[in-house]
Amino acid sequence: EVQLVESGGGLVQPGRSLKLSCAASGFTFSDYNMAWVRQAPKKGLEWVATIIYDGSRTYYRDSVKGRFTISRDNAKSTLYLQMDSLRSEDTATYYCATLNGGPFAYWGQGTLVTVSS
Amino acid sequence: NIVLTQSPATLSVTPGESVSLSCRASQSISTSIHWYQQKSNESPRLLIKYASQSISGIPSRFSGSGSGTDFTLSINRVESEDFSIYYCQQSYSSLYTFGSGTKLEIK
């Protein structure tokens, strides 16, 4: 059974940093592209970043480019999102998801990040 | 960026009715569209991939159609568990985007 378990969310002040983790199990992690998708409170879904299966390429939405870094450790089957220079508009539940080609096939339960002073 | 416009924003129906939800892309995206269901306080779930391909474990009353810029998610005879929010998502561009969602509510 595929499992994705996010952690690392919490309350953080504007301008500070936070690092999210996503522990994967039930599938061969190193075979899959992975992504982070976020959802602000009462709002829709927003793709954040993608990383290719071997870590060779990454993609980011414009609003996080230069501030967020997606990475992975295939030996540990873990996906990361380093978030720097956080802003109030980054407040959201962050989901990790597997990318099976184009669609996000499996999703974690999400971890809430609140950026507030 | 490719913009996806979903309509209507809210759809009020009676259980047993059949419905169609629309997703329109700002440019042609072939069949690179996927549909998700999100129930309250839950993670999204993939319903349909590549416009019309079914997903294992998803009830057969859900189906998808379309290509180019216009896509439709159809639910044949809506059941009580189907009342939730539905999103479309494109993968034609590596900079993925989602539609703003259609909320399916009980009339």
Side-chain angles (χ1 to χ4, degrees):
Chain A
E1 178 194 4
V2 172
Q3 282 204 316
L4 299 169
V5 180
E6 301 94 337
S7 60
L11 175 63
V12 60
Q13 293 179 329
R16 304 299 287 262
S17 299
L18 205 60
K19 187 172 185 177
L20 306 183
S21 300
C22 171
S25 61
F27 66 104
T28 304
F29 181 74
S30 57
D31 284 350
Y32 288 87
N33 300 345
M34 296 292 295
W36 290 95
V37 177
R38 68 185 180 185
Q39 186 169 35
K42 307 294 187 185
K43 299 295 185 182
L45 301 170
E46 187 174 81
W47 165 76
V48 174
T50 297
I51 186 166
I52 301 305
Y53 68 97
D54 61 357
S56 60
R57 277 176 289 153
T58 57
Y59 303 88
Y60 300 92
R61 67 178 302 104
D62 287 347
S63 61
V64 307
K65 207 175 295 183
R67 299 189 299 122
F68 289 12
T69 303
I70 188 172
S71 62
R72 64 191 297 159
D73 185 336
N74 285 345
K76 294 183 178 180
S77 297
T78 302
L79 177 72
Y80 303 100
L81 185 67
Q82 175 68 44
M83 304 185 293
D84 299 323
S85 302
L86 282 161
R87 305 168 180 167
S88 58
E89 55 264 37
D90 296 318
T91 294
T93 295
Y94 284 74
Y95 298 99
C96 71
T98 64
L99 268 169
N100 295 47
F104 300 102
Y106 296 99
W107 298 66
Q109 85 288 350
T111 187
L112 177 61
V113 173
T114 303
V115 184
S116 174
S117 54
Chain B
N1 288 355
I2 297 172
V3 176
L4 299 179
T5 302
Q6 290 190 243
S7 61
T10 304
L11 190 55
S12 301
V13 303
T14 302
E17 284 187 57
S18 294
V19 299
S20 293
L21 284 60
S22 173
C23 178
R24 179 165 291 177
S26 59
Q27 66 180 73
S28 180
I29 58 171
S30 185
T31 57
S32 297
I33 200 78
H34 319 291
W35 291 93
Y36 302 85
Q37 176 192 58
Q38 187 177 31
K39 298 182 179 180
S40 182
N41 296 320
E42 293 187 9
S43 304
R45 176 175 70 152
L46 178 65
L47 294 177
I48 298 287
K49 64 180 181 179
Y50 295 106
S52 62
Q53 294 181 19
S54 59
I55 301 296
S56 175
I58 301 300
S60 58
R61 63 180 179 276
F62 292 94
S63 63
S65 63
S67 66
T69 60
D70 291 319
F71 302 91
T72 300
L73 174 70
S74 299
I75 310 175
N76 185 32
R77 292 195 288 273
V78 172
E79 298 189 5
S80 57
E81 64 191 34
D82 300 336
F83 291 100
S84 50
I85 301 176
Y86 294 85
Y87 296 95
C88 57
Q89 172 244 329
Q90 64 79 23
S91 61
Y92 186 83
S93 161
S94 296
L95 305 181
Y96 301 132
T97 50
F98 288 89
S100 56
T102 291
K103 181 179 182 180
L104 187 65
E105 64 176 26
I106 300 176
K107 183 185 284 185

